[in-house]
Amino acid sequence: MLNAHFGFLCGYGQEGKFSGPLKPMTFSIFEGQEPSQIIFQFKANPPATTFELTGETDDIFMIEQDGLLYYTKALDRETRAVHHLQLAALDSNGAIVEGPVSITIEVKDINDNRPTFLQSKYEGSVRQNSRPGKPFMYVNATDLDDPTTPNGQLFYEIVIQLPKINNVMYFQINNKTGAISLTQEGAQELNPDKNPSYNLVVSVKDMGGQNDNSFSHTTSVDITVRENIWKAPELVEILENSTDSYPVKITQVRWNDPGARYSLVNKETLPVFPFSIDQEGDIFVTQPLDREEKDAHVFFAIAKDEYGKPLAPPVDIHVKVIDINDNPPTCLDRRTVFEVQENENLGSSIGIFTAHDMDEENTINSVLKYKIAHQTPKVPADGLFSIEEYQGKLQLAKQSLKKQDNPQYNLTIEVSDKDFKTLCFVQVNVIDINDQIPIFEKSDYGSITLPEDTAVGSIILIIQATDADEPFTGSSKILYRVVQGDTEGRLEVDTDPQTNAGYVKIKKPLDFETEPVSNIVFQAENPEPLVYGVDYNASSFASFKLTVTDVNEAPVFPQHIFQVKVSEDTAVGTKVGNVTAKDPEGLAVSYSLRGDKRGWLKIDSVTGEIFSVAPLDREAESLYRVQVVATEVGGSSLSSMANFHLALTDVNDNAPRLSKDYTGLFFCHPLSTPGRLVFAAADDDLPSFRGPQFTFALGSGSLQNDWEVSKINGTHATLSTKHTNFEERVYEVPVRISDGGRPPLEATVSLPVTFCTCVEGSCFRPAGRQNGIPTVGMAVGILLTTFLVIGIILTVVFIRKDNVENARASEVRPLRS
């Protein structure tokens, strides 16, 4: 028999009872409990006298003859988590009379095992600039406790990072999976040149790391920082118009880890993008490139993960197209024309001849050489010209030229680069030298008298000089200019290109007051310089006397519009502006106003000072426009006019008001629930940059139990009832509105609210007698009178008709004999 010292019950069956009949049962027992614990008391019916226990007893589970099931050793879940037993009831002869039945013992876990890392030291590596949060290595630990309970739930964390620069963590760990990755800071700051390696101390705890009694273990992690290989490759140089078989690999990019997906993005819009990339990161050119079409290409390479998310910023790919000599020199014009004066000295420069080569500048492919291949005619000799081999400077090579020998030469210029030659054509015209000066037909053009109001552009004189040099050349063309007597530049001279006549015109208005008499001197000259030893003399100069007569002119304002800005609350009598005008003849000026339709201003007729004479109002007119008339005193009393604009700035001088008529506000009577009405306020002042900012309140404290006013925004508010007990009538509700201006103004307005019987949602008001509308009695009287008049008219008509018919009958009645 089991002695009485066996302890308390450790396991219960599914029904939570300590004893019961023999039947299949399952018991749950915590591992590690003290031995000799009672599990259950089985009972059997006669003739059963004893019990037999078989199965996975492991010499731990026992049963007494009276059916008392117990265990003799502490259970260990990690050794066996479930024990499967069979229990039978035997009679006195040892024969089975009940059973056997299945008895299941589930060993429940307790936290009796420490987590352990699989390695005492881990090693890993990471590329600089790797994507933050993407794992590059894992640490793993195991715990023999039940993983479905907190006992076997592991929690990882980084305890130490060495070195820890500026107290910033560069690494992070997934506390459930042990995955180690870079932080945002680590992705930016890791640099193998500064710190090629890091050491981490990583701990693991069971109980999910949430219990002070959890077990823990640590391991060391050595991390090597490797150079980031995701970077822009060096400049790629490709020979233009290559005959290689395409595509041709030109460079490559590589992401730090395998599996990246690569693509190219063009920076520019091209008809055909001539580059491609494969999924190894190799970049190809897919067709021949032409440097003359595009000498450089810039595009992006992008690496993405399997979800299409960029792994890092794109890198630039720069491609330079290397020139080959595939373009011959070209002539800038079909024929280049130069001019050279006769009798020019030997070696004189005629001009610079330039050709062009589309190949790359400043390379051997675009270096051009010049040579004269042919001269026509060869008169008076061949080789009259030379050209500098590289600069293209064309010069006289043998002697001076004479126009009578030949007026024109045609040269064939051979232009060559290292592989090509091109022929260009140059025409050299021999022109007469400028050895004759212009000579005026007369030196004095007399006197001219003009009124000072002569129109600008008027031709006042025609002058003429002649030149004996070759016609229609720079040597014979004559230009005229005023060299004396016109300091203000009021005159100009235009030359007739056919006759060389000079037309003297008014360029600026004449002014009697500043320059009444002028002695004007002209000079005639050529655009081409005179040859050495020939100079202009008195024959190239002419003069005339210009007399300007006075014309009475109106006063002149210095500007067309005078504008001032004042506040609309400017006191009456304040000076608000000043205008001035000046009479060209020096007469006094009198000022007056026109267009002062509001009567706000007056002007001092002598000084031009303008004063306010009435209150100003910006709301009536924000920009007040009047005209100022300046009249000369004496003379012809001529006048002129300028505009005076008075801009009024706002002051807060208008109290708030309701934005519209609110006589139609109503509630349906009787109210079932408190109601609400919306109304708005306005005023005529200029709103601030934030817009109107009205505040609203009830105008009477005695109404606070019945009504409530609430602000919606700067212009709108609601009027709400506080109960439903209102009479069927009109209520005048005072509302106080403040504008918040400087100074603040407020006004109390009345909102009429009608409580009325409603029909289909509208207020029904019985019609009462109104002025001008007759009463019912009056209406009946009017109606009866109308009927009486109509009856009299009909009676008269019938009587008249009867008399007419009687008269007609008497006319046809036969005479009695």
Side-chain angles (χ1 to χ4, degrees):
M1 290 292 294
L2 188 66
N3 293 327
H5 68 268
F6 280 97
F8 58 89
L9 182 66
C10 287
Y12 291 93
Q14 298 98 322
E15 300 174 1
K17 297 179 180 179
F18 176 72
S19 63
L22 182 64
K23 62 180 181 178
M25 296 191 73
T26 299
F27 300 94
S28 296
I29 302 174
F30 279 103
E31 66 173 332
Q33 295 285 354
E34 291 294 328
S36 301
Q37 299 290 326
I38 299 171
I39 299 174
F40 195 78
Q41 174 74 61
F42 287 97
K43 296 179 180 180
N45 296 318
T49 59
T50 185
F51 292 87
E52 180 183 45
L53 183 66
T54 58
E56 298 171 345
T57 63
D58 295 342
D59 295 329
I60 297 175
F61 296 98
M62 304 290 182
I63 190 160
E64 293 291 320
Q65 289 185 0
D66 60 359
L68 190 65
L69 179 66
Y70 63 98
Y71 58 96
T72 61
K73 295 180 183 178
L75 302 180
D76 184 7
R77 191 200 67 83
E78 288 71 40
T79 301
R80 192 188 294 274
V82 179
H83 293 263
H84 297 282
L85 309 176
Q86 289 81 38
L87 181 61
L90 308 178
D91 60 14
S92 57
N93 297 320
I96 297 176
V97 294
E98 284 188 56
V101 298
S102 174
I103 305 298
T104 303
I105 307 295
E106 296 176 346
V107 183
K108 298 184 67 176
D109 187 49
I110 63 172
N111 191 26
D112 58 347
N113 290 279
R114 302 172 62 88
T116 304
F117 279 104
L118 299 183
Q119 299 174 213
S120 60
K121 186 175 185 178
Y122 290 83
E123 293 182 352
S125 64
V126 62
R127 296 275 186 188
Q128 67 178 135
N129 304 125
S130 291
R131 189 172 56 161
K134 182 178 181 181
F136 62 86
M137 67 176 298
Y138 288 81
V139 293
N140 300 99
T142 59
D143 191 310
L144 296 177
D145 290 317
D146 188 353
T148 64
T149 68
N151 302 331
Q153 292 177 3
L154 304 184
F155 181 89
Y156 298 92
E157 64 179 331
I158 298 175
V159 180
I160 298 174
Q161 171 190 297
L162 295 175
K164 192 176 185 181
I165 301 167
N166 297 325
N167 202 34
V168 175
M169 291 295 293
Y170 290 166
F171 302 90
Q172 58 188 350
I173 192 168
N174 186 306
N175 55 32
K176 292 183 178 179
T177 65
I180 299 177
S181 61
L182 295 181
T183 62
Q184 188 71 44
E185 294 80 4
Q188 296 172 354
E189 300 297 334
L190 281 187
N191 187 336
D193 296 331
K194 295 180 179 179
N195 291 291
S197 62
Y198 288 82
N199 176 257
L200 306 180
V201 175
V202 178
S203 77
V204 61
K205 295 180 181 180
D206 59 16
M207 304 295 289
Q210 303 299 313
N211 194 306
D212 292 339
N213 297 324
S214 60
F215 294 113
S216 65
H217 190 224
T218 60
T219 188
S220 175
V221 180
D222 289 335
I223 298 174
T224 301
V225 181
R226 294 188 292 163
E227 181 184 9
N228 178 24
I229 61 174
W230 178 250
K231 54 187 177 181
E234 295 182 354
L235 174 70
V236 179
E237 295 186 344
I238 301 176
L239 202 64
E240 70 168 329
N241 295 321
S242 171
T243 58
D244 292 340
S245 177
Y246 290 90
V248 176
K249 179 180 176 182
I250 56 174
T251 188
Q252 66 182 33
V253 291
R254 293 289 187 271
W255 177 241
N256 297 312
D257 303 308
R261 299 178 180 180
Y262 301 100
S263 60
L264 299 181
V265 176
N266 188 17
K267 271 189 173 181
E268 304 166 289
T269 302
L270 298 176
V272 177
F273 183 56
F275 301 97
S276 65
I277 189 170
D278 64 16
Q279 291 312 301
E280 297 298 321
D282 294 335
I283 299 175
F284 301 86
V285 60
T286 58
Q287 64 184 46
L289 305 180
D290 187 351
R291 192 205 67 85
E292 285 70 44
E293 289 183 3
K294 189 170 181 58
D295 62 358
H297 297 263
V298 180
F299 50 92
F300 297 118
I302 298 177
K304 297 181 180 180
D305 62 17
E306 62 273 21
Y307 305 107
K309 184 177 180 180
L311 294 166
V315 294
D316 288 349
I317 311 298
H318 291 264
V319 175
K320 179 181 179 181
V321 184
I322 303 301
D323 186 48
I324 63 172
N325 191 28
D326 57 348
N327 290 280
T330 57
C331 310
L332 297 182
D333 298 291
R334 293 182 61 186
R335 185 176 299 274
T336 303
V337 178
F338 292 109
E339 289 184 345
V340 59
Q341 286 187 343
E342 59 180 348
N343 296 331
E344 286 280 358
N345 294 329
L346 189 67
S348 295
S349 175
I350 299 173
I352 304 295
F353 176 76
T354 305
H356 179 64
D357 193 305
M358 291 182 64
D359 290 314
E360 186 174 2
E361 293 182 4
N362 303 318
T363 67
I364 190 63
N365 297 329
S366 61
V367 173
L368 301 181
K369 295 172 65 174
Y370 301 92
K371 182 175 74 172
I372 297 176
H374 188 68
Q375 170 192 313
T376 304
K378 298 178 173 59
V379 176
D382 195 9
L384 292 176
F385 305 93
S386 67
I387 190 168
E388 289 187 351
E389 186 175 20
Y390 290 102
Q391 296 180 343
K393 182 179 180 182
L394 191 64
Q395 296 173 283
L396 290 176
K398 282 189 175 180
Q399 62 187 57
S400 298
L401 303 179
K402 293 185 181 296
K403 188 171 182 179
Q404 57 266 33
D405 291 339
N406 196 66
Q408 185 181 96
Y409 293 89
N410 293 303
L411 305 178
T412 301
I413 308 295
E414 179 185 280
V415 187
S416 61
D417 61 19
K418 71 184 186 72
D419 296 311
F420 299 97
K421 292 180 181 180
T422 301
L423 297 179
C424 299
F425 302 98
V426 172
Q427 177 179 309
V428 180
N429 296 326
V430 182
I431 61 174
D432 184 30
I433 60 174
N434 192 15
D435 57 356
Q436 301 293 321
I437 64 172
I439 299 175
F440 274 101
E441 62 179 6
K442 57 182 178 180
S443 61
D444 187 354
Y445 282 87
S447 297
I448 298 177
T449 300
L450 298 172
E452 65 177 331
D453 61 353
T454 301
V456 172
S458 300
I459 298 174
I460 63 173
L461 179 65
I462 299 176
I463 57 178
Q464 182 72 61
T466 58
D467 192 302
D469 287 312
E470 182 182 358
F472 306 110
T473 66
S475 299
S476 62
K477 182 179 180 180
I478 299 176
L479 302 177
Y480 301 95
R481 62 188 180 95
V482 179
V483 295
Q484 186 177 319
D486 185 23
T487 57
E488 297 297 325
R490 301 181 189 278
L491 303 178
E492 63 180 351
V493 185
D494 290 341
T495 301
D496 186 320
Q498 300 298 320
T499 65
N500 272 340
Y503 296 90
V504 183
K505 301 164 65 175
I506 303 295
K507 182 180 180 183
K508 295 181 181 179
L510 304 177
D511 188 7
F512 168 82
E513 287 73 26
T514 60
E515 211 164 359
V517 179
S518 303
N519 292 308
I520 307 298
V521 178
F522 300 105
Q523 180 183 358
E525 56 190 5
N526 304 126
E528 285 288 336
L530 297 172
V531 297
Y532 179 76
V534 178
D535 298 304
Y536 296 105
N537 56 36
S539 300
S540 299
F541 293 85
S543 64
F544 80 100
K545 182 178 180 181
L546 175 63
T547 301
V548 180
T549 60
D550 188 27
V551 174
N552 190 21
E553 299 169 276
V556 178
F557 286 97
Q559 59 201 64
H560 294 296
I561 298 176
F562 295 82
Q563 182 161 322
V564 295
K565 183 185 292 185
V566 297
S567 175
E568 65 172 324
D569 63 352
T570 298
V572 172
T574 301
K575 176 183 173 182
V576 296
N578 190 78
V579 297
T580 58
K582 183 179 179 181
D583 185 75
E585 288 75 40
L587 298 176
V589 176
S590 175
Y591 300 97
S592 61
L593 293 179
R594 285 185 190 171
D596 185 16
K597 59 186 178 181
R598 296 189 180 274
W600 285 355
L601 305 174
K602 74 173 182 178
I603 189 167
D604 189 305
S605 62
V606 177
T607 64
E609 294 176 318
I610 299 175
F611 300 86
S612 65
V613 293
L616 307 176
D617 186 3
R618 187 204 66 83
E619 288 69 40
E621 199 151 359
S622 60
L623 183 64
Y624 191 53
R625 298 176 176 90
V626 296
Q627 292 79 45
V628 179
V629 180
T631 306
E632 63 181 11
V633 180
S636 303
S637 298
L638 296 177
S639 63
S640 60
M641 191 164 58
N643 293 298
F644 180 78
H645 293 176
L646 184 66
L648 299 179
T649 59
D650 189 45
V651 296
N652 194 33
D653 58 350
N654 289 276
R657 56 177 172 79
L658 292 174
S659 64
K660 65 177 182 178
D661 181 14
Y662 282 98
T663 55
L665 299 178
F666 72 91
F667 288 113
C668 292
H669 186 274
L671 281 178
S672 57
T673 59
R676 186 178 74 161
L677 300 170
V678 177
F679 64 95
D683 73 14
D684 297 319
D685 290 314
L686 188 68
S688 68
F689 70 94
R690 297 184 302 156
Q693 296 295 321
F694 296 114
T695 58
F696 305 86
L698 274 176
S700 173
S702 63
L703 301 178
Q704 290 183 354
N705 293 330
D706 301 326
W707 303 92
E708 182 179 26
V709 175
S710 302
K711 180 177 179 179
I712 298 176
N713 52 34
T715 56
H716 288 72
T718 59
L719 175 65
S720 306
T721 63
K722 290 185 136 182
H723 57 79
T724 60
N725 189 23
F726 287 89
E727 298 177 5
E728 187 174 0
R729 64 180 180 88
V730 178
Y731 289 80
E732 295 290 340
V733 183
V735 176
R736 188 170 64 255
I737 307 174
S738 175
D739 62 9
R742 295 184 181 178
L745 296 178
E746 67 176 34
T748 299
V749 299
S750 181
L751 280 175
V753 182
T754 301
F755 286 82
C756 58
T757 302
C758 290
V759 177
E760 295 182 354
S762 298
C763 188
F764 174 74
R765 296 182 178 90
R769 182 178 181 275
Q770 300 179 13
N771 292 334
I773 299 178
T775 64
V776 174
M778 293 172 62
V780 172
I782 292 170
L783 186 60
L784 291 176
T785 301
T786 302
F787 287 151
L788 179 60
V789 171
I790 292 173
I792 292 171
I793 292 172
L794 291 175
T795 301
V796 172
V797 170
F798 285 131
I799 291 173
R800 285 178 59 85
K801 182 177 180 183
D802 186 58
N803 290 338
V804 170
E805 300 222 355
N806 289 337
R808 288 179 180 172
S810 63
E811 291 176 3
V812 298
R813 185 178 301 138
L815 296 174
R816 292 179 181 269
S817 57

